[in-house]
mmCIF file with all atom_site columns, all heavy atoms in Angstrom:
data_model
loop_
_atom_site.group_PDB
_atom_site.id
_atom_site.type_symbol
_atom_site.label_atom_id
_atom_site.label_alt_id
_atom_site.label_comp_id
_atom_site.label_asym_id
_atom_site.label_entity_id
_atom_site.label_seq_id
_atom_site.pdbx_PDB_ins_code
_atom_site.Cartn_x
_atom_site.Cartn_y
_atom_site.Cartn_z
_atom_site.occupancy
_atom_site.B_iso_or_equiv
_atom_site.pdbx_formal_charge
_atom_site.auth_seq_id
_atom_site.auth_comp_id
_atom_site.auth_asym_id
_atom_site.auth_atom_id
_atom_site.pdbx_PDB_model_num
ATOM 1   N N   . ILE W 1 67 ? -7.227  6.604   83.435 1.00 96.00 ? 96  ILE W N   1
ATOM 2   C CA  . ILE W 1 67 ? -6.673  5.265   83.566 1.00 96.00 ? 96  ILE W CA  1
ATOM 3   C C   . ILE W 1 67 ? -7.041  4.466   82.315 1.00 96.00 ? 96  ILE W C   1
ATOM 4   O O   . ILE W 1 67 ? -8.175  4.479   81.864 1.00 96.00 ? 96  ILE W O   1
ATOM 5   C CB  . ILE W 1 67 ? -7.205  4.570   84.833 1.00 96.00 ? 96  ILE W CB  1
ATOM 6   C CG1 . ILE W 1 67 ? -6.866  5.424   86.082 1.00 96.00 ? 96  ILE W CG1 1
ATOM 7   C CG2 . ILE W 1 67 ? -6.620  3.175   84.966 1.00 96.00 ? 96  ILE W CG2 1
ATOM 8   C CD1 . ILE W 1 67 ? -5.397  5.670   86.277 1.00 96.00 ? 96  ILE W CD1 1
ATOM 9   N N   . GLN W 1 68 ? -6.048  3.710   81.775 1.00 96.00 ? 97  GLN W N   1
ATOM 10  C CA  . GLN W 1 68 ? -6.200  3.105   80.463 1.00 96.00 ? 97  GLN W CA  1
ATOM 11  C C   . GLN W 1 68 ? -6.656  1.655   80.504 1.00 96.00 ? 97  GLN W C   1
ATOM 12  O O   . GLN W 1 68 ? -6.181  0.857   81.305 1.00 96.00 ? 97  GLN W O   1
ATOM 13  C CB  . GLN W 1 68 ? -4.868  3.159   79.694 1.00 96.00 ? 97  GLN W CB  1
ATOM 14  C CG  . GLN W 1 68 ? -4.445  4.540   79.297 1.00 96.00 ? 97  GLN W CG  1
ATOM 15  C CD  . GLN W 1 68 ? -3.272  4.546   78.328 1.00 96.00 ? 97  GLN W CD  1
ATOM 16  O OE1 . GLN W 1 68 ? -3.195  5.412   77.491 1.00 96.00 ? 97  GLN W OE1 1
ATOM 17  N NE2 . GLN W 1 68 ? -2.363  3.589   78.441 1.00 96.00 ? 97  GLN W NE2 1
ATOM 18  N N   . PHE W 1 69 ? -7.583  1.344   79.575 1.00 96.00 ? 98  PHE W N   1
ATOM 19  C CA  . PHE W 1 69 ? -7.951  -0.023  79.212 1.00 96.00 ? 98  PHE W CA  1
ATOM 20  C C   . PHE W 1 69 ? -7.850  -0.117  77.670 1.00 96.00 ? 98  PHE W C   1
ATOM 21  O O   . PHE W 1 69 ? -8.171  0.839   76.973 1.00 96.00 ? 98  PHE W O   1
ATOM 22  C CB  . PHE W 1 69 ? -9.405  -0.340  79.629 1.00 96.00 ? 98  PHE W CB  1
ATOM 23  C CG  . PHE W 1 69 ? -9.674  -0.196  81.089 1.00 96.00 ? 98  PHE W CG  1
ATOM 24  C CD1 . PHE W 1 69 ? -10.031 1.034   81.642 1.00 96.00 ? 98  PHE W CD1 1
ATOM 25  C CD2 . PHE W 1 69 ? -9.593  -1.304  81.933 1.00 96.00 ? 98  PHE W CD2 1
ATOM 26  C CE1 . PHE W 1 69 ? -10.303 1.158   82.984 1.00 96.00 ? 98  PHE W CE1 1
ATOM 27  C CE2 . PHE W 1 69 ? -9.872  -1.166  83.295 1.00 96.00 ? 98  PHE W CE2 1
ATOM 28  C CZ  . PHE W 1 69 ? -10.218 0.059   83.823 1.00 96.00 ? 98  PHE W CZ  1
ATOM 29  N N   . TYR W 1 70 ? -7.454  -1.259  77.129 1.00 96.00 ? 99  TYR W N   1
ATOM 30  C CA  . TYR W 1 70 ? -7.477  -1.442  75.664 1.00 96.00 ? 99  TYR W CA  1
ATOM 31  C C   . TYR W 1 70 ? -7.643  -2.918  75.354 1.00 96.00 ? 99  TYR W C   1
ATOM 32  O O   . TYR W 1 70 ? -7.400  -3.787  76.201 1.00 96.00 ? 99  TYR W O   1
ATOM 33  C CB  . TYR W 1 70 ? -6.225  -0.871  74.999 1.00 96.00 ? 99  TYR W CB  1
ATOM 34  C CG  . TYR W 1 70 ? -4.898  -1.413  75.502 1.00 96.00 ? 99  TYR W CG  1
ATOM 35  C CD1 . TYR W 1 70 ? -4.314  -2.533  74.886 1.00 96.00 ? 99  TYR W CD1 1
ATOM 36  C CD2 . TYR W 1 70 ? -4.219  -0.812  76.564 1.00 96.00 ? 99  TYR W CD2 1
ATOM 37  C CE1 . TYR W 1 70 ? -3.104  -3.022  75.328 1.00 96.00 ? 99  TYR W CE1 1
ATOM 38  C CE2 . TYR W 1 70 ? -3.011  -1.302  77.009 1.00 96.00 ? 99  TYR W CE2 1
ATOM 39  C CZ  . TYR W 1 70 ? -2.452  -2.409  76.392 1.00 96.00 ? 99  TYR W CZ  1
ATOM 40  O OH  . TYR W 1 70 ? -1.252  -2.905  76.830 1.00 96.00 ? 99  TYR W OH  1
ATOM 41  N N   . ASN W 1 71 ? -8.068  -3.191  74.162 1.00 95.00 ? 100 ASN W N   1
ATOM 42  C CA  . ASN W 1 71 ? -8.350  -4.571  73.777 1.00 95.00 ? 100 ASN W CA  1
ATOM 43  C C   . ASN W 1 71 ? -7.231  -5.154  72.927 1.00 95.00 ? 100 ASN W C   1
ATOM 44  O O   . ASN W 1 71 ? -6.248  -4.476  72.600 1.00 95.00 ? 100 ASN W O   1
ATOM 45  C CB  . ASN W 1 71 ? -9.712  -4.678  73.080 1.00 95.00 ? 100 ASN W CB  1
ATOM 46  C CG  . ASN W 1 71 ? -9.782  -3.835  71.810 1.00 95.00 ? 100 ASN W CG  1
ATOM 47  O OD1 . ASN W 1 71 ? -8.776  -3.278  71.348 1.00 95.00 ? 100 ASN W OD1 1
ATOM 48  N ND2 . ASN W 1 71 ? -10.975 -3.724  71.238 1.00 95.00 ? 100 ASN W ND2 1
ATOM 49  N N   . ASP W 1 72 ? -7.397  -6.413  72.569 1.00 95.00 ? 101 ASP W N   1
ATOM 50  C CA  . ASP W 1 72 ? -6.359  -7.101  71.781 1.00 95.00 ? 101 ASP W CA  1
ATOM 51  C C   . ASP W 1 72 ? -6.049  -6.393  70.459 1.00 95.00 ? 101 ASP W C   1
ATOM 52  O O   . ASP W 1 72 ? -4.874  -6.206  70.123 1.00 95.00 ? 101 ASP W O   1
ATOM 53  C CB  . ASP W 1 72 ? -6.792  -8.546  71.508 1.00 95.00 ? 101 ASP W CB  1
ATOM 54  C CG  . ASP W 1 72 ? -6.579  -9.446  72.717 1.00 95.00 ? 101 ASP W CG  1
ATOM 55  O OD1 . ASP W 1 72 ? -6.038  -8.958  73.729 1.00 95.00 ? 101 ASP W OD1 1
ATOM 56  O OD2 . ASP W 1 72 ? -6.963  -10.625 72.644 1.00 95.00 ? 101 ASP W OD2 1
ATOM 57  N N   . PRO W 1 73 ? -7.050  -6.021  69.651 1.00 95.00 ? 102 PRO W N   1
ATOM 58  C CA  . PRO W 1 73 ? -6.724  -5.348  68.387 1.00 95.00 ? 102 PRO W CA  1
ATOM 59  C C   . PRO W 1 73 ? -5.920  -4.075  68.592 1.00 95.00 ? 102 PRO W C   1
ATOM 60  O O   . PRO W 1 73 ? -5.030  -3.762  67.799 1.00 95.00 ? 102 PRO W O   1
ATOM 61  C CB  . PRO W 1 73 ? -8.093  -5.062  67.770 1.00 95.00 ? 102 PRO W CB  1
ATOM 62  C CG  . PRO W 1 73 ? -8.985  -6.109  68.333 1.00 95.00 ? 102 PRO W CG  1
ATOM 63  C CD  . PRO W 1 73 ? -8.499  -6.315  69.743 1.00 95.00 ? 102 PRO W CD  1
ATOM 64  N N   . TYR W 1 74 ? -6.211  -3.347  69.664 1.00 95.00 ? 103 TYR W N   1
ATOM 65  C CA  . TYR W 1 74 ? -5.483  -2.103  69.909 1.00 95.00 ? 103 TYR W CA  1
ATOM 66  C C   . TYR W 1 74 ? -4.044  -2.397  70.339 1.00 95.00 ? 103 TYR W C   1
ATOM 67  O O   . TYR W 1 74 ? -3.117  -1.643  70.011 1.00 95.00 ? 103 TYR W O   1
ATOM 68  C CB  . TYR W 1 74 ? -6.191  -1.284  70.982 1.00 95.00 ? 103 TYR W CB  1
ATOM 69  C CG  . TYR W 1 74 ? -5.684  0.134   71.095 1.00 95.00 ? 103 TYR W CG  1
ATOM 70  C CD1 . TYR W 1 74 ? -6.213  1.146   70.306 1.00 95.00 ? 103 TYR W CD1 1
ATOM 71  C CD2 . TYR W 1 74 ? -4.646  0.470   71.978 1.00 95.00 ? 103 TYR W CD2 1
ATOM 72  C CE1 . TYR W 1 74 ? -5.747  2.453   70.398 1.00 95.00 ? 103 TYR W CE1 1
ATOM 73  C CE2 . TYR W 1 74 ? -4.169  1.773   72.071 1.00 95.00 ? 103 TYR W CE2 1
ATOM 74  C CZ  . TYR W 1 74 ? -4.723  2.760   71.267 1.00 95.00 ? 103 TYR W CZ  1
ATOM 75  O OH  . TYR W 1 74 ? -4.255  4.049   71.352 1.00 95.00 ? 103 TYR W OH  1
ATOM 76  N N   . SER W 1 75 ? -3.845  -3.523  71.058 1.00 94.00 ? 104 SER W N   1
ATOM 77  C CA  . SER W 1 75 ? -2.502  -3.851  71.554 1.00 94.00 ? 104 SER W CA  1
ATOM 78  C C   . SER W 1 75 ? -1.513  -4.050  70.407 1.00 94.00 ? 104 SER W C   1
ATOM 79  O O   . SER W 1 75 ? -0.315  -3.835  70.575 1.00 94.00 ? 104 SER W O   1
ATOM 80  C CB  . SER W 1 75 ? -2.556  -5.105  72.425 1.00 94.00 ? 104 SER W CB  1
ATOM 81  O OG  . SER W 1 75 ? -2.849  -6.262  71.615 1.00 94.00 ? 104 SER W OG  1
ATOM 82  N N   . LEU W 1 76 ? -2.041  -4.474  69.251 1.00 92.00 ? 105 LEU W N   1
ATOM 83  C CA  . LEU W 1 76 ? -1.165  -4.730  68.111 1.00 92.00 ? 105 LEU W CA  1
ATOM 84  C C   . LEU W 1 76 ? -0.551  -3.458  67.546 1.00 92.00 ? 105 LEU W C   1
ATOM 85  O O   . LEU W 1 76 ? 0.414   -3.517  66.784 1.00 92.00 ? 105 LEU W O   1
ATOM 86  C CB  . LEU W 1 76 ? -1.948  -5.445  67.000 1.00 92.00 ? 105 LEU W CB  1
ATOM 87  C CG  . LEU W 1 76 ? -2.563  -6.797  67.385 1.00 92.00 ? 105 LEU W CG  1
ATOM 88  C CD1 . LEU W 1 76 ? -3.379  -7.351  66.230 1.00 92.00 ? 105 LEU W CD1 1
ATOM 89  C CD2 . LEU W 1 76 ? -1.474  -7.781  67.802 1.00 92.00 ? 105 LEU W CD2 1
ATOM 90  N N   . THR W 1 77 ? -1.079  -2.300  67.897 1.00 91.00 ? 106 THR W N   1
ATOM 91  C CA  . THR W 1 77 ? -0.587  -1.024  67.358 1.00 91.00 ? 106 THR W CA  1
ATOM 92  C C   . THR W 1 77 ? 0.390   -0.327  68.288 1.00 91.00 ? 106 THR W C   1
ATOM 93  O O   . THR W 1 77 ? 0.943   0.703   67.915 1.00 91.00 ? 106 THR W O   1
ATOM 94  C CB  . THR W 1 77 ? -1.769  -0.072  67.099 1.00 91.00 ? 106 THR W CB  1
ATOM 95  O OG1 . THR W 1 77 ? -2.349  0.326   68.365 1.00 91.00 ? 106 THR W OG1 1
ATOM 96  C CG2 . THR W 1 77 ? -2.840  -0.737  66.262 1.00 91.00 ? 106 THR W CG2 1
ATOM 97  N N   . LEU W 1 78 ? 0.608   -0.883  69.519 1.00 92.00 ? 107 LEU W N   1
ATOM 98  C CA  . LEU W 1 78 ? 1.341   -0.134  70.547 1.00 92.00 ? 107 LEU W CA  1
ATOM 99  C C   . LEU W 1 78 ? 2.853   -0.309  70.493 1.00 92.00 ? 107 LEU W C   1
ATOM 100 O O   . LEU W 1 78 ? 3.599   0.619   70.787 1.00 92.00 ? 107 LEU W O   1
ATOM 101 C CB  . LEU W 1 78 ? 0.842   -0.544  71.932 1.00 92.00 ? 107 LEU W CB  1
ATOM 102 C CG  . LEU W 1 78 ? -0.593  -0.118  72.260 1.00 92.00 ? 107 LEU W CG  1
ATOM 103 C CD1 . LEU W 1 78 ? -1.013  -0.681  73.605 1.00 92.00 ? 107 LEU W CD1 1
ATOM 104 C CD2 . LEU W 1 78 ? -0.711  1.398   72.264 1.00 92.00 ? 107 LEU W CD2 1
ATOM 105 N N   . GLY W 1 79 ? 3.332   -1.490  70.171 1.00 90.00 ? 108 GLY W N   1
ATOM 106 C CA  . GLY W 1 79 ? 4.764   -1.734  70.220 1.00 90.00 ? 108 GLY W CA  1
ATOM 107 C C   . GLY W 1 79 ? 5.202   -2.120  71.614 1.00 90.00 ? 108 GLY W C   1
ATOM 108 O O   . GLY W 1 79 ? 4.462   -2.013  72.600 1.00 90.00 ? 108 GLY W O   1
ATOM 109 N N   . SER W 1 80 ? 6.456   -2.555  71.715 1.00 91.00 ? 109 SER W N   1
ATOM 110 C CA  . SER W 1 80 ? 6.963   -3.078  72.993 1.00 91.00 ? 109 SER W CA  1
ATOM 111 C C   . SER W 1 80 ? 7.086   -2.008  74.064 1.00 91.00 ? 109 SER W C   1
ATOM 112 O O   . SER W 1 80 ? 7.093   -2.320  75.263 1.00 91.00 ? 109 SER W O   1
ATOM 113 C CB  . SER W 1 80 ? 8.332   -3.730  72.761 1.00 91.00 ? 109 SER W CB  1
ATOM 114 O OG  . SER W 1 80 ? 9.254   -2.776  72.228 1.00 91.00 ? 109 SER W OG  1
ATOM 115 N N   . GLU W 1 81 ? 7.165   -0.751  73.663 1.00 91.00 ? 110 GLU W N   1
ATOM 116 C CA  . GLU W 1 81 ? 7.293   0.329   74.657 1.00 91.00 ? 110 GLU W CA  1
ATOM 117 C C   . GLU W 1 81 ? 6.014   0.490   75.488 1.00 91.00 ? 110 GLU W C   1
ATOM 118 O O   . GLU W 1 81 ? 6.073   0.961   76.626 1.00 91.00 ? 110 GLU W O   1
ATOM 119 C CB  . GLU W 1 81 ? 7.607   1.659   73.963 1.00 91.00 ? 110 GLU W CB  1
ATOM 120 C CG  . GLU W 1 81 ? 8.999   1.764   73.369 1.00 91.00 ? 110 GLU W CG  1
ATOM 121 C CD  . GLU W 1 81 ? 9.093   1.127   71.996 1.00 91.00 ? 110 GLU W CD  1
ATOM 122 O OE1 . GLU W 1 81 ? 8.058   0.637   71.491 1.00 91.00 ? 110 GLU W OE1 1
ATOM 123 O OE2 . GLU W 1 81 ? 10.186  1.123   71.424 1.00 91.00 ? 110 GLU W OE2 1
ATOM 124 N N   . ARG W 1 82 ? 4.847   0.114   74.955 1.00 92.00 ? 111 ARG W N   1
ATOM 125 C CA  . ARG W 1 82 ? 3.581   0.404   75.635 1.00 92.00 ? 111 ARG W CA  1
ATOM 126 C C   . ARG W 1 82 ? 2.731   -0.832  75.906 1.00 92.00 ? 111 ARG W C   1
ATOM 127 O O   . ARG W 1 82 ? 1.714   -0.728  76.580 1.00 92.00 ? 111 ARG W O   1
ATOM 128 C CB  . ARG W 1 82 ? 2.779   1.412   74.797 1.00 92.00 ? 111 ARG W CB  1
ATOM 129 C CG  . ARG W 1 82 ? 3.425   2.791   74.772 1.00 92.00 ? 111 ARG W CG  1
ATOM 130 C CD  . ARG W 1 82 ? 2.588   3.792   74.005 1.00 92.00 ? 111 ARG W CD  1
ATOM 131 N NE  . ARG W 1 82 ? 3.155   5.123   74.079 1.00 92.00 ? 111 ARG W NE  1
ATOM 132 C CZ  . ARG W 1 82 ? 4.144   5.568   73.327 1.00 92.00 ? 111 ARG W CZ  1
ATOM 133 N NH1 . ARG W 1 82 ? 4.655   4.778   72.396 1.00 92.00 ? 111 ARG W NH1 1
ATOM 134 N NH2 . ARG W 1 82 ? 4.629   6.784   73.496 1.00 92.00 ? 111 ARG W NH2 1
#
Side-chain angles (χ1 to χ4, degrees):
I96 303 301
Q97 292 191 147
F98 301 86
Y99 56 91
N100 60 8
D101 282 357
Y103 192 87
S104 69
L105 300 176
T106 68
L107 292 175
S109 59
E110 289 83 2
R111 291 183 175 82

